[in-house]
Amino acid sequence: MRRYARKLHAGRPALVLAPLMAATLAITACSAPGADPVTEDDGDTEVSTELGSDPITLEMYAETGFPLAKALADEFSNQYPNVTFNVREDQFTVIVENAPRVLAGDNAPDIIRLPTMIDLVSDGLLKNLDPYFDAYGWDSFPASQLEQLRIADDGTRGSGSLYGMGLGYSVTGVFYNKELAEQVGMTEPPVTIAEFEELLAAAKDAGIQPIMQFNQDTAGINFPHQALQNQYGDPQEIADWIFQKEGATFDTPAALKATQTIEKWAQAGYFPADANAIDYTAMMGQFQEGNGLFMFNGDWESGNLDSNMPGEVGFFLFPGETADASHVAMSAPNTFGVGAKAKNPDAAAFFLNWVHTNEKAREISVQVGGSSPGGPADLEVPTAAEGTVLAQTLAASGQLAEENGAVDFTANATGSIFASAITPELQKLIVGEQTPEGYVQAVQAQYEEELSR
């Protein structure tokens, strides 16, 4: 069995996409939850775990369509009324384009949803969180939980100083419509890729849309592509490429085979014929209307599906080539960082600590975000009602952690790889305007061009 050496953390992994914001205290100055007031001096910057009672407005730049950040901000203000949030939201692709300019501006956000980190760190636009790591005792977190959020002196990810924290730690997999599954004879989730493909064919033959997937503004088909790539080769190769390790390449047999499979699925009509005209919101609407047996997506939709399709949806981790293969899935923190020019960095760090340690905040991360809250290893993950999709995604996350199967998203490899290569090239691939060989070569060429800047 393949084993992946970089699990996200010991209780629950993370992925693609969500929120955050900051904090203050009422009446008298006090320390962050779980910490005594501390002042740390890293030689350059003093930091404090005291919030105080003075009015604070935290500037937050978050992602449209993911309510967790706003829900956490509202609860924080409820507990600490002297803190208010000025929340700006944009689509993820817009944040990718805007982040450098916004962080360099005079009104830089205190907390920002991070598209990628390496370029922002190299340009001095993100605050080094090491002093807060020491002040708050974040060494009580499983080390692997924060691994993806570290940048080394040589600019590679996976080690070095801490520059981000998660607002929830997500896992991706496959949602399925239980009624449609019954119609094609699916009594339990498939345990091999071959079984999954048999179900796709059965759905097509029955006049059921096999996979409902978006691919308009951002490449939602990258979800199934990486799910296949994770299983067709060594996920360590993918991690090395994402973390920009020397000599790593996207042009591998596993990536090519995954791309060939996506092309085959597109030609067979397993994706919507107009996938390139379907955005994320439209995909969710179509799936909730019963159009689609499967949907590749993340646990952040669990609560939404439980509300809108109660008892009608299931979830499973994408299977391997053999029934005994270890599960590997895209899993990453919904990453937020503190701007280097933030006006309230101590309050922003207080909020990030609160998100991970406060009981109510952890419940919100699960119930609204559908994801593990992360945090200290000795804190239990809030439970979900039996039989819900949320309970299934939480269980899948725990299983992925046990099997060491979390791998970051290929979309996070560089600042522009998703918008400049993965999205347009996948759009061309599924309509026959790009070949599998051309796709992997184009993605690698964009990667090399960005690293050479």
Side-chain angles (χ1 to χ4, degrees):
M1 295 191 296
R2 293 189 304 275
R3 305 288 291 185
Y4 180 46
R6 295 181 185 273
K7 73 174 179 180
L8 184 64
H9 64 89
R12 152 107 181 165
L15 154 24
V16 220
L17 332 149
L20 48 82
M21 244 22 245
T24 151
L25 202 63
I27 306 178
T28 59
C30 79
S31 63
D36 294 327
V38 174
T39 297
E40 289 281 342
D41 186 347
D42 67 352
D44 297 311
T45 306
E46 285 191 358
V47 302
S48 174
T49 60
E50 289 191 52
L51 189 58
S53 58
D54 292 340
I56 297 175
T57 298
L58 287 163
E59 300 290 332
M60 174 168 64
Y61 192 15
E63 185 177 355
T64 300
F66 296 91
L68 178 58
K70 183 66 166 57
L72 288 168
D74 288 346
E75 176 59 25
F76 191 86
S77 292
N78 181 53
Q79 294 186 25
Y80 306 111
N82 59 316
V83 178
T84 57
F85 297 86
N86 183 25
V87 181
R88 170 185 177 183
E89 293 185 338
D90 273 327
Q91 296 286 345
F92 185 76
T93 51
V94 177
I95 295 178
V96 170
E97 297 176 3
N98 286 351
R101 176 181 56 80
V102 170
L103 284 166
D106 292 334
N107 193 34
D110 296 292
I111 304 175
I112 180 172
R113 170 73 166 99
L114 296 177
T116 57
M117 297 170 58
I118 293 175
D119 291 344
L120 298 176
V121 170
S122 66
D123 291 339
L125 297 174
L126 289 180
K127 192 167 187 64
N128 186 322
L129 300 181
D130 284 352
Y132 296 108
F133 180 93
D134 295 335
Y136 282 105
W138 290 341
D139 56 355
S140 64
F141 294 21
S144 54
Q145 184 180 130
L146 303 178
E147 181 181 57
Q148 296 182 30
L149 309 174
R150 295 186 176 279
I151 306 292
D153 291 341
D154 63 1
T156 59
R157 284 177 59 205
S159 64
S161 291
L162 184 68
Y163 285 93
M165 296 288 280
L167 282 200
Y169 296 79
S170 299
V171 64
T172 63
V174 186
F175 292 95
Y176 65 95
N177 183 305
K178 291 182 178 180
E179 181 179 349
L180 298 181
E182 185 177 351
Q183 292 179 28
V184 300
M186 175 180 159
T187 58
E188 58 185 9
V191 296
T192 65
I193 295 173
E195 287 186 7
F196 182 78
E197 291 187 310
E198 289 173 2
L199 292 167
L200 296 178
K204 185 67 176 177
D205 290 343
I208 297 169
Q209 178 61 52
I211 303 172
M212 176 51 61
Q213 206 69 27
F214 75 104
N215 210 50
Q216 184 184 51
D217 299 319
T218 53
I221 288 177
N222 194 48
F223 279 74
H225 183 279
Q226 191 176 345
L228 290 160
Q229 185 180 356
N230 288 342
Q231 298 295 339
Y232 284 149
D234 182 0
Q236 186 63 53
E237 292 183 346
I238 303 173
D240 288 347
W241 185 77
I242 295 168
F243 289 175
Q244 300 184 7
K245 301 298 185 183
E246 185 175 356
T249 180
F250 188 82
D251 192 355
T252 64
L256 178 60
K257 186 175 181 180
T259 312
Q260 291 168 335
T261 302
I262 292 296
E263 180 186 54
K264 178 181 69 174
W265 289 0
Q267 292 173 347
Y270 295 162
F271 299 118
D274 60 346
N276 286 344
I278 298 175
D279 64 14
Y280 183 89
T281 301
M283 174 192 71
M284 289 302 303
Q286 287 289 314
F287 186 78
Q288 291 175 88
E289 289 175 7
N291 186 17
L293 170 59
F294 297 122
M295 176 181 66
F296 288 77
N297 209 338
D299 56 6
W300 51 86
E301 289 294 353
S302 301
N304 180 35
L305 292 171
D306 278 328
S307 296
N308 294 323
M309 302 178 70
E312 300 176 18
V313 180
F315 178 88
F316 59 88
L317 295 172
F318 190 70
E321 291 190 275
T322 61
D324 63 348
S326 294
H327 289 95
V328 181
M330 295 176 289
S331 175
N334 298 308
T335 307
F336 284 78
V338 179
K341 298 177 67 175
K343 295 180 174 63
N344 301 288
D346 289 346
F350 185 103
F351 172 78
L352 293 176
N353 184 71
W354 173 87
V355 164
H356 288 80
T357 59
N358 179 265
E359 182 177 358
K360 181 61 177 178
R362 291 171 64 81
E363 290 178 0
I364 291 172
S365 291
V366 169
Q367 298 298 329
V368 177
S371 305
S372 167
D378 60 352
L379 292 183
E380 293 185 4
V381 175
T383 59
E386 186 176 352
T388 60
V389 181
L390 179 56
Q392 293 180 54
T393 56
L394 288 173
S397 181
Q399 180 182 5
L400 192 66
E402 290 177 4
E403 297 184 27
N404 252 1
V407 61
D408 199 359
F409 293 82
T410 52
N412 293 337
T414 69
S416 300
I417 198 74
F418 196 41
S420 299
I422 292 176
T423 291
E425 299 302 330
L426 275 178
Q427 289 172 338
K428 290 188 289 185
L429 177 78
I430 66 169
V431 295
E433 296 176 0
Q434 176 60 287
T435 65
E437 293 81 5
Y439 174 76
V440 296
Q441 292 167 8
V443 172
Q444 180 61 21
Q446 173 66 24
Y447 180 84
E448 293 176 2
E449 193 275 329
E450 290 189 52
L451 294 190
S452 68
R453 292 174 187 170

